[in-house]
C-alpha cells in the first residue's frame, strides 16, 4: 500500500472525520488512488448494518433517518448517512427546516452525513453509493443509512444492496401503492406508512396487505407495516424494533450470508462490465471508434461481426 493511502486509512480508522470526508470524495469521484483506497478499506468493512430507505419525494425520508439517527445515538451507535440525490438535501438550502434540524447533529462526530448528486448514469451512481457505504463501514460506523428517492428501478438498485430495506409510503397519494408495486414491493423488508397523522393511513395499510397476500417472499419473512409520524417521532421506536427483529431473523435463519452472496453476485457482474467496457474504450480510442462507426454507417462493415471481434480482441 502506498504511503498516502496507508496514512489516510489509518486516520480514517482512528475516527478522523476529515480523513473520512476526504476518502469519500476520492471514492465518489473515482479520483486517482480510489481503487487502491477501496482495496485497503475493504478488509475493514462488512461490520456495519446498512439500512436503505426509499420512498417518493417528500415522503419524509430525511425526517425518518434523522429520528432513527437520534435514537441510535442514544444507544451509542455511530452513524453514517448517505442521501442520494435528495430534493430536500441535508446539506443544501432547499428546505430550511431540514437544514436547521440536521444542524443538531453537525456538532456530533458520531453522525456523518454525505449527500450524493445524480451525475452520469444511475448505474454508476449505484456503484458509487455502494463504494461510499464501504468507506463508511470501514471507518467503523455501526450503522449506515442510505436515503434514496424510490421512483425508478435504478434507485431501487441502490437500496437493494442494503441489509435492511425500508419502503416509505404516505397516505393520500392516490394509487401510490399500485404505481410503485412493480419494483418496490419485492424489495421491502419493512414498510413504513409515514405521515400517519393524515387521512388514509389505514387504506394504505390495507392495500399493502392485499398485495402481500399475492406475493409471498421466498425467505418466509412477512414485511411488517409500521405507521409513523416522523415529524414528531411517533412510531420511531417501533421502526427501530422492526429493523432489529429483521436483522435477528436474517441471522437466525442464516439468511444474511445468502443475501450478501446474492448481492455480491450482482455487484461483481456490474463491476466486471464497467471494467471491461472501460478497458475496451480506452484501447479503442475515440479516433478509432469514429473510424469504425463511419465504416459501419457506410455499410462497409457489419456491426455484429465488428463487435464480436472487438469483444475478443479489444485492441484491434
Ligand atoms: N404531517 C407530517 N409531515 C411530515 C411527517 N414527516 C415529515 N413531514 C414533513 O414532510 C416534509 C418532507 O420531509 P422530508 O423528510 O424532507 O422528506 P424526504 O422524503 O426526505 O424528501 P426528499 O428528500 O425531498 O425526497 C417536511 O416538511 C417534513 O417536516 C409526518 O409524519 N407528518
Ligand atoms: Mg430527503
Amino acid at each position: 500500500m502506498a504511503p498516502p493511502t496507508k496514512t489516510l486509512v489509518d486516520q480514517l480508522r482512528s475516527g478522523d472525520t476529515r480523513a473520512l470526508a476526504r476518502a469519500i470524495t476520492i471514492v465518489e469521484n473515482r479520483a486517482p488512488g480510489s481503487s487502491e483506497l477501496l482495496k485497503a478499506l475493504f478488509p475493514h468493512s462488512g461490520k456495519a448494518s446498512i439500512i436503505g430507505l426509499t420512498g417518493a419525494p417528500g415522503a419524509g425520508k430525511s425526517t425518518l433517518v434523522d429520528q432513527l439517527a437520534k435514537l441510535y445515538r442514544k444507544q451509542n451507535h455511530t452513524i453514517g448517512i448517505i442521501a442520494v440525490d435528495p430534493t430536500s438535501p441535508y446539506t443544501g438550502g432547499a428546505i430550511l427546516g431540514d437544514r436547521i434540524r440536521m444542524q443538531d447533529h453537525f456538532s456530533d462526530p458520531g453522525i456523518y452525513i454525505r449527500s450524493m448528486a445524480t451525475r452520469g448514469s444511475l448505474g454508476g451512481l449505484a456503484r458509487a453509493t455502494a463504494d461510499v457505504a464501504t468507506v463508511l463501514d470501514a471507518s467503523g460506523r455501526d450503522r449506515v443509512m442510505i436515503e434514496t428517492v424510490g421512483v425508478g428501478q435504478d434507485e431501487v438498485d441502490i437500496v437493494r444492496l442494503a441489509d435492511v430495506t425500508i419502503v416509505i409510503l404516505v397516505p393520500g397519494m392516490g394509487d401510490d401503492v399500485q404505481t410503485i408495486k412493480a419494483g418496490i414491493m419485492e424489495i421491502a423488508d419493512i414498510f413504513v406508512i409515514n405521515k400517519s397523522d393524515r387521512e388514509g393511513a389505514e387504506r394504505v395499510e390495507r392495500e399493502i396487505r392485499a398485495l402481500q397476500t399475492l406475493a409471498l417472499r421466498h425467505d418466509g419473512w412477512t414485511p411488517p407495516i409500521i405507521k409513523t409520524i416522523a415529524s414528531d417521532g411517533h412510531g420511531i421506536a417501533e421502526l427501530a424494533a422492526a429493523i432489529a427483529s429483521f436483522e435477528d431473523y436474517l441471522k437466525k435463519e442464516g439468511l444474511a450470508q445468502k443475501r450478501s452472496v446474492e448481492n455480491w453476485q450482482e455487484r461483481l457482474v456490474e463491476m466486471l462490465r464497467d471494467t471491461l467496457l472501460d478497458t475496451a474504450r480506452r484501447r479503442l480510442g475515440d479516433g478509432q471508434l469514429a473510424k469504425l462507426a463511419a465504416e459501419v454507417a457506410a455499410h462497409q462493415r457489419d456491426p455484429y461481426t465488428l463487435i464480436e471481434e472487438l469483444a475478443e480482441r479489444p485492441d484491434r
Side-chain angles (χ1 to χ4, degrees), residues 55-256:
K61 299 176 294 295
S62 301
T63 316
L64 269 173
V65 167
D66 184 24
Q67 294 279 8
L68 278 175
K70 274 192 187 131
L71 186 146
Y72 287 136
R73 285 304 288 143
K74 284 200 192 112
Q75 301 169 353
N76 262 329
H77 291 167
T78 52
I79 308 294
I81 297 171
I82 308 172
V84 181
D85 194 28
T87 49
S88 56
Y90 293 98
T91 47
I95 291 181
L96 192 60
D98 250 36
R99 255 178 91 197
I100 291 168
R101 185 164 45 75
M102 290 315 291
Q103 257 155 16
D104 293 352
H105 299 314
F106 286 157
S107 56
D108 177 3
I111 296 184
Y112 182 85
I113 303 168
R114 172 65 74 112
S115 64
M116 293 183 47
T118 308
R119 76 169 98 82
S121 74
L122 269 165
L125 185 71
R127 197 179 150 191
T129 305
D131 288 342
V132 169
T134 298
V135 177
L136 284 164
D137 184 347
S139 80
R141 302 271 148 177
D142 299 308
R143 295 195 177 261
V144 176
M145 292 192 260
I146 304 174
E147 168 190 341
T148 164
V149 175
V151 287
Q153 186 60 46
D154 297 317
E155 286 95 336
V156 167
D157 285 344
I158 295 174
V159 278
R160 215 199 27 221
L161 298 173
D163 300 313
V164 183
T165 300
I166 300 172
V167 171
I168 300 154
L169 301 165
V170 289
M173 290 187 83
D175 42 18
D176 202 35
V177 176
Q178 290 298 329
T179 11
I180 65 157
K181 74 173 173 196
I184 275 182
M185 290 303 286
E186 303 97 79
I187 62 155
D189 301 313
I190 296 167
F191 286 101
V192 165
I193 304 174
N194 190 41
K195 307 199 182 182
S196 287
D197 50 324
R198 287 193 189 165
E199 195 90 17
E202 260 70 39
R203 207 196 100 191
V204 178
E205 187 173 6
R206 277 198 305 275
E207 284 181 17
I208 299 170
R209 293 233 189 276
L211 287 170
Q212 277 181 333
T213 57
L214 298 177
L216 284 180
R217 283 167 59 120
H218 61 76
D219 64 0
W221 170 260
T222 304
I225 303 169
I226 314 289
K227 293 206 205 71
T228 60
I229 305 171
S231 43
D232 70 9
H234 206 92
I236 301 302
E238 288 82 348
L239 176 56
I243 293 169
S245 70
F246 181 63
E247 287 173 337
D248 283 349
Y249 180 82
L250 287 183
K251 247 180 255 150
K252 239 191 320 210
E253 307 288 317
L255 291 169

